[in-house]
Structures are given as C-alpha cells and as structure tokens.
Amino acid sequence: MTVIKSTRVLGVMLAATAIAMNAPLQAQVDSGTAVTLAADTQGSPEERAVTMLAQMTQDEKLSLLMGFFGTDFPPGGFEAPEEARYGSAGYVPGIARLGIPAQWQADAGIGVATQGGAQVKRARTALPSGLATAATWDRELAFAGGAMIGSEARADGFNVLLGGSVNLTREPRNGRNFEYAGEDPLLAGVMAGEQIAGVQSNDIISTSKHFAVNDQETDRGRSNSVLDEASMRMSDLLAFQIAHEIGDPGSVMCAYNRVNGPYSCEHPFLLTQVLRKEWGWPGYVMSDWGAVHSTADAANSGTDQESGYGLQRAANFAADKLRAALDAGETSQERIDLMVTRILRSMFSHGLIDNPVSADQLIDFAANRAVSQADAEGGIVLLKNDGNILPLAASARRIVLIGGHADKGVLSGGGSSQVYPDGENAVPGIEPTSWPGPVVYYPSSPLEELRALLPDARITYHDGVDHRRAAAAARNADLAIVFGTQWASESIDVPMHVEDDTLIESVAQSQPNTVVVLQTGGPVLMPWADKVPAIVEAWFPGRMGGAAIARVLTGAVNPSGHLPVTIPRSLAQLPHPGDPQPGDVNYTEGAAVGYKWFDAQGHDPLFPFGHGLSYTGFEYGNLTVTRAGDGLVATFTVTNSGEVAGADAAQVYVSGEGWEAPRRLGGFAKVELEPGETQLVSVALDPRLLAVWSTRENGWVRQSGSYQVSIGENSREIVETASIDLPASYLSAQWRPQ
Ligand code: BGC
C-alpha cells in the first residue's frame, strides 16, 4: 500500500514538468547546457534516439522504463496519474524538458477500449473480433480495420495501441481466441501483421502480443507452456515472425505465462535470441500488466518497460529497484541505456515525436462503422446450406427469429479489449456484470435489420427461454432462424458450446427450415449440425453485426468468409480432450496445431479449416508451380461458375516428407469475381513452409525431393495438385522475405 501511494506522488511530480511542451526548440537545462528537443533531432530513428539518450539524466531514463495503469484501482488503493487518458490501460510519463511526449496506451485489437473499472465508458467503433477478421482471409480488410481503430486511438490522444494479437488457437477453449487470428501461423501472421500495419499508418505504435505461447487463460499468470523449440518455431513463433515482417510493430508485449520454465518476460531465448538477434526486430518489449517478476533478470533478458503499475502491486522497474540492481552490479548502465534507446527509437520511427497526438479530435463514426461492417460481412462463414435454403427466399412470408437477444443486438467478447458502443449496452445485466464481464451486446439488431431488408415478410421474435413455445412459434412460421451464442472473455477459458444446444434441437425438430446463426468467440461443438439445413458462423461481428448478418442471410452480401479454425465433431478429437489445466501445459501435439493435428491423426472434423460456402460456385484450374527466389509461386485460374458475384478465398496447401502433418497452408488470396469471370491468380509460397526447423542447425532445412502444391476449397477438399522436385536448402534463423 505504501509503495502504491508513493507511486501516485511520483506520477504527480512527473506531470508537473509537462508545461514546457510548447517551449522553443532550444531549451536550457539548469546547468546552462543547451539541449536539442526530440523534434529537432537529426538522422535515422536510431541516431535520434542516441542523441536524446546522451542528454538524459538517470532519473529521466528510468522514468521511461515503468508505466502506470491508466485507471483508478480502488482495491489496490491506486489512483491513476492525472495525465493518463481517462479509463485507459496505461501511461508512461513524458519528459517535457526534452520534448519527449508521454506514452498513452489503449487496448486493443477491435477498437479503443475502456477499462471495466472506469465509471464512464468511451463509446468507440468496435470491429468484429480478431477471429472474424481472420475469417475474411482478406489482407485489405485487416489493414483497413487496423487503420480505422488506429485513427480512433489517435483521435483520443493515444499513441500506443495494445493490439496486434497473434497467439494461435492451439486450445479451442481459450477465452481469448476471439482476440486472435486462428490456428494457422501463416494466416494468423498475415492478418495480424496487416492489422498492425494499418494501426501504425496513423503514426502511432501497435503492439504484437502476447509473446509467447500464451494459448490458454487458465492459470495464465503461472502456467508453463511446454513445447519443444522446433515445434514452437514452426507454429506460435512463426505466426509472430510473419506478423512482424508485415507489420513491424513498434512494441511487443511479453506474456503472463512461462515458456519451458522461465516467465515470458524473463526469457533471454525469446526476447533476445529470437526477437532481436535472429529476427532483427529493433523495437521495445513492454510487459503484460503485472507480468514482470524480477528486476535485473527481466531487464537483462530483454524486457524494456514494465507496464500497468498500480493494477498490480509489483513495481519491479521502479526507479529505486533499478538503481538498487545497478548498485548491486546485477544489471548495467549499458543495459539501462539500451532499454531507453529502444523505446525512444520506436517513438521516433513510428511518428510519436514528429506527429504528436492530441486528445478530443473529431471521429467520423459513420465512415468507421462502414469499415467495421465490411469486415463483419467479409468474415461471416456460411458453414452449411442444404437445398440452398439461403439466401432467404422472397417467398418466405413468415419468419421467426429465436433466442440470442437477436431483437436487440449482437454479442461481443469481454476483458480488457472490450469496446463500448455508443448508446447503451443493448442487453444490460447479464452475468457476469463485472470482471471478466460485463457482457456487452452492441445495439445492431438482426431483427430490425432483417425487417428493413424484407419489408413484405412477417418477421417476429421469440426469446427462446421456453423451448416448447419457441418450437411452436417455429412450427407456425415458414422458416426459423435460431441464434446460438458463446460468450468468451479474457482471464477464463470457455466451454465449447453455445447457449443453448437443446433450444436449437427443439426448434429443428418442429421446423425443417431452420437456419442456425452463431455468435461465438471460437470454435464450438454442433451436436445438432445434421438436423438443420443451414448454419452461419458470425463470430463476434462488431458494432454493425446485426446489419452484416441480415445482409448475408438475405443475399445482399454473398458470404465469403472461411474458417480460420477447425470445427471438431467432439472433444475426443482434440489433442487435449480435457479442460485446460493449471501448471505445466504439455503441448504434445507440437507444431500440429488445429487442422494439422486432425490431418495427422486422420480425424474427420465437422467442418475443416478453410471451409466456407458461397451463393455462387468457384472452379479452379491450370495450376502451375515455379521456383521464385527461395520459395515457389503457384499460379492458377479461379472462375466464378455461378449466377451471382462473389469472393473466393483461394487456398494453396503444400505437402512434403517428414513434416508435423500431411499438409500446411502455403499461401492464399482473396479474389472477387463477377458471374462467369475468370482470373489468373499467383500466390507466393514462403520457403519456411516448405522446410522444417532444425535446432541442430538453427535454421530452416528443406530436404531434396518431391513436394506437392495443391489448390483446395478448404484443407480437406483438394481440387488440383502439382508436384515439383526441389533440391536441399538451408535458410538461417535470420532469413526474411525480400
Ligand atoms: C491483458 C493485455 C492488456 C492489458 C492492459 C492485460 O490483462 O492481458 O492484453 O493489453 O491487460 O489492459
């Protein structure tokens, strides 16, 4: 308690220096020495950082290494520094004397969040979940979404967004899967990388997280992810590596969990060897909130900034602790200078100095909602459509919507990434109403949107609480649309089913024309799948989700989303059928995550990775594969063989000997086609996906031999395959695409 109070005093003292921000470029320090202000430094970001470092006092240096929680936290007796943005995740004081702005940090990946503890919530535009965006397989949508939320962050005066969430869906019950981008390292890396690039196009920093193998929430602060190095390199780390190559985030957030023993934020192998020495990434590592457990160990391992002091009582990077570590010779001045330089360098290279943020700027909410809606429409997956029951026929006169609060709005995911909508939570009061809640429904009603699109139909709503009455309502209609929801949130893992399966069964029994619309955080079991003709997976569809769902159901939008995760038939098919456990989490499946596990085991999933139907059809042909640089290029034609325009997620899979699984996603492209149109598509295949990681050689090793390159409707329905003989090759750990 005493420590927390003294921190508050420190925050206020640092803030008192904020007046000099508008001073002329040359300022005088007490000693009379002229200083160069940050904005006036010359050269590369590295050179500018070094110039600043040379002018800084030790107090100033240390002040950049510890961030405060940005929201009052009464249980810990903590009041956020006044200069923090209201209700935010974090704040690192600036150094006004040198023209270095504060770092104002906001969550996260679907928009500008407000912490649950804040009384007043900031209303901002929520994208669909990260998993929904991944389901678009559309790099442009991922970039546009990132650019949109980054612009709102900037307009609110935030210059560090804590979004760019890359953990793999290794555990389908992970309560944070909705924040991430699916089970495949290429898809997740590309989509998260594009989002990061979009965020940073606003001259602010984006943060890739949670580094690394933070793949369950159960016991997240202590659990130990056990995964052999080669498997890690080919799965979780590869996703981050690809995201970094595309997005170049200014910061990385080390995770809560341990990895093969050490905590993620005290992990020289992850933070120094891999991230810096091998990937050549020049940014700074911030900790997750309360994820630092030591001073010298964490600093020497590669963590540069401790986050969220006040939310957690630990203050391992407080100035007095760092000084003590220096005095004891446990860390060095060189290390402190390196940490400061990395932070400054990212601030220079990502525009924080040259294009500083200021709060309370105007936001074009109408334009931003359109971005969110396009993302949602691109990510909705039509899983099943027997007899082409969808799109809804104009002849369906009586339609009943059942359950899922579909009269009011659409579900969102909980935790620190929670974005609050304008107006009210459409369905307030659902438990839990506080952490890890509240459960928030965005006011975008599928019922109202459908009524607007089908003015001649009689569309009613039944809450589904009484199953018998719901079934009767379905019987008396021409068609029933039943909504299944799975709420998910940070800090918990969640059962793999919707609320509620028995309602869906009852409705399906009384109405053969039953469409199921799902809003889920991740993959769920669908025990009723054979009993309904149509299933639509809408994920957490964001602020405009009701409109997006209605437009897909009516055919105003032709669905083009494809699964970024495997939908199993049963828990028994998973590598770990039992619920996530605390302690050592042995990821014995290695790099065979998701579909790779299913393929390697010969399990038949309910819906495979990459699956997604359309209201039109696509045909592939003329596949050729050629060598290009270190990798390959697959070229093929895609033809829209149906009657309506549509977009296809063309998927290229690769196969080789001795891999963790029979096939890997090697590349993909989203292609929009008019009816009858054919396009020639070229997809570059990353050479790392044609190799395996060798710990002995510390690099990617490809054996000489025959490799297969296939185009598929999804990971299980391969349409055409070409073989190519390749010589042996070796790519070092430092290799990156040109
Ligand atoms: C989460 C991070 C988040 C941070 C700040 C942590 O609990 O794990 O993802 O950015 O809080 O809100």
Side-chain angles (χ1 to χ4, degrees), residues 544-587:
M544 302 303 285
I549 290 169
R551 279 162 56 83
V552 166
L553 292 174
T554 56
V557 164
N558 189 352
S560 65
H562 286 252
L563 287 175
V565 288
T566 302
I567 309 286
R569 288 185 186 276
S570 69
L571 292 177
Q573 292 185 321
L574 299 178
H576 310 285
D579 285 343
Q581 295 298 315
D584 281 353
V585 185
N586 288 300
Y587 290 120

Side-chain angles (χ1 to χ4, degrees), residues 69 88-90 105-109 113 115 161-163 165 176 179-180 207 209-210 214 217 220 253-256 286-290 307-308 311-312 415-417 435 490-491:
F69 189 41
S88 69
Q105 303 165 325
D107 287 305
Q115 291 285 325
L161 196 67
L162 308 173
S165 307
R176 296 188 91 169
E179 295 188 51
Y180 303 139
T207 311
K209 69 184 189 183
H210 306 88
N214 185 189
E217 288 296 279
R220 65 175 176 169
M253 189 187 292
C254 53
Y256 283 125
M286 70 166 78
S287 75
D288 202 339
W289 271 228
S307 310
L311 176 64
Q312 315 284 345
S416 61
S417 69
W435 185 264
E490 178 181 340
S491 88

Side-chain angles (χ1 to χ4, degrees), residues 413-491:
S416 61
S417 69
Q418 180 74 61
V419 175
Y420 291 84
D422 48 307
E424 295 295 311
N425 179 354
V427 190
I430 298 177
E431 293 291 343
T433 52
S434 59
W435 185 264
V439 177
V440 176
Y441 275 76
Y442 296 139
S444 178
S445 154
L447 176 68
E448 284 169 24
E449 297 289 348
L450 263 186
R451 281 179 173 158
L453 287 172
L454 299 175
D456 296 335
R458 184 171 165 270
I459 308 179
T460 53
Y461 176 74
H462 190 284
D463 66 14
V465 175
D466 181 328
H467 291 191
R468 275 198 359 198
R469 288 188 179 193
R475 197 175 304 117
N476 292 331
D478 299 325
L479 182 135
I481 305 175
V482 55
F483 287 74
T485 56
Q486 178 211 37
W487 183 70
S489 180
E490 178 181 340
S491 88

Side-chain angles (χ1 to χ4, degrees), residues 134 137 181 183-191 234 238 242 562-564 593 595-596 599 609-611 649-655 659-669 683-690 708-715 718:
W137 298 59
E183 67 191 25
D184 181 78
L186 176 69
L187 182 66
V190 168
M191 299 305 279
M234 295 191 289
L238 184 57
I242 292 171
H562 286 252
L563 287 175
V593 179
Y595 67 96
K596 295 172 183 167
D599 289 350
F609 173 84
H611 170 70
Q651 303 160 41
V652 181
Y653 292 89
V654 290
S655 303
W659 293 0
E660 73 283 2
R663 82 180 56 89
R664 301 169 176 165
L665 180 69
F668 60 92
V683 173
L685 308 178
D686 189 314
R688 290 168 293 196
L689 293 166
L690 294 159
Q708 284 73 50
V709 176
S710 313
I711 341 169
E713 299 272 357
N714 56 57
S715 61
I718 299 302

Side-chain angles (χ1 to χ4, degrees), residues 691-729:
V692 290
W693 181 267
S694 161
T695 26
R696 194 165 53 88
E697 298 183 48
N698 203 49
W700 302 93
V701 172
R702 188 181 70 207
Q703 307 293 342
S704 69
S706 172
Y707 290 78
Q708 284 73 50
V709 176
S710 313
I711 341 169
E713 299 272 357
N714 56 57
S715 61
R716 281 294 172 103
E717 285 176 75
I718 299 302
V719 177
E720 197 175 339
T721 298
S723 290
I724 185 163
D725 288 332
L726 294 174
S729 85

Side-chain angles (χ1 to χ4, degrees), residues 90-143:
Y91 168 73
V92 182
I95 303 168
R97 179 180 80 83
L98 298 171
I100 298 172
Q103 293 158 62
W104 289 282
Q105 303 165 325
D107 287 305
I110 67 156
V112 181
T114 308
Q115 291 285 325
Q119 292 305 311
V120 181
K121 305 293 198 286
R122 117 188 347 97
R124 292 296 173 263
T125 310
L127 289 172
S129 62
L131 200 59
T133 300
T136 68
W137 298 59
D138 186 333
R139 301 175 68 137
E140 287 174 20
L141 284 177
F143 182 94

